Amino acid sequence: MTRFDPKTLTFNQQGLLPVIAQDHDSGEVLMLAWMNQEAVAQTLETKKVTYWSRSRQAFWVKGETSGHVQTLVDLRVDCDRDCLLAIVRQTGPACHTNRRVCFYTSLKDGAEIELMAPEA
């Protein structure tokens, strides 16, 4: 077993790497967001998934304001060490549009098809 160090990950020029969130129970791909080195460390320490908001230039603990929390079950590194897979227990919708997942639009035959409505 090798001791993990977030410095061993490959971050882009902005110091970020993409993170795919997947639901532990259903296997659904919930969303994609970004982490910097500190967000990775915070997520591993607290088990509360913490992202870096590119628009706000600030840490974003998923569910901190909405209550739609992501609790970390497992964090996996891809083969190139430039992307993470966060396997989570999702409380409520994962998407800021109040949908279960962010990938709710399908592209078929040149048309956009909405696959799910926002949760009530």
Side-chain angles (χ1 to χ4, degrees), residues 16 34 52-58 60:
L16 303 172
W34 299 85
W52 179 257
S53 170
R54 295 177 299 165
S55 59
R56 293 188 308 259
Q57 293 292 296
W60 157 43

Side-chain angles (χ1 to χ4, degrees), residues 5-108:
D5 183 346
K7 292 177 188 171
T8 65
L9 298 172
T10 303
F11 296 91
N12 67 15
Q13 291 178 345
Q14 292 76 40
L16 303 172
L17 79 166
V19 182
I20 300 162
Q22 180 181 29
D23 186 87
H24 175 265
D25 297 322
S26 70
E28 289 173 292
V29 174
L30 301 171
M31 57 181 279
L32 178 135
W34 299 85
M35 286 185 183
N36 61 15
Q37 187 175 311
E38 191 172 337
V40 173
Q42 281 183 240
T43 297
L44 290 169
E45 182 180 326
T46 65
K47 304 298 185 218
K48 295 178 182 175
V49 182
T50 304
Y51 299 108
W52 179 257
S53 170
R54 295 177 299 165
S55 59
R56 293 188 308 259
Q57 293 292 296
F59 291 105
W60 157 43
V61 179
K62 182 69 174 160
E64 195 170 51
T65 55
S66 68
H68 303 154
V69 177
Q70 286 180 350
T71 304
L72 186 68
V73 174
D74 192 14
L75 192 61
R76 298 182 185 177
V77 181
D78 82 329
C79 58
D80 293 324
R81 302 187 74 79
D82 62 358
C83 184
L84 297 174
L85 174 64
I87 299 173
V88 302
R89 292 200 193 285
Q90 177 70 45
T91 302
C95 186
H96 74 281
T97 65
N98 215 36
R99 289 173 174 86
R100 173 80 183 148
V101 304
C102 291
F103 301 98
Y104 60 86
T105 304
S106 178
L107 307 176
K108 292 188 180 176

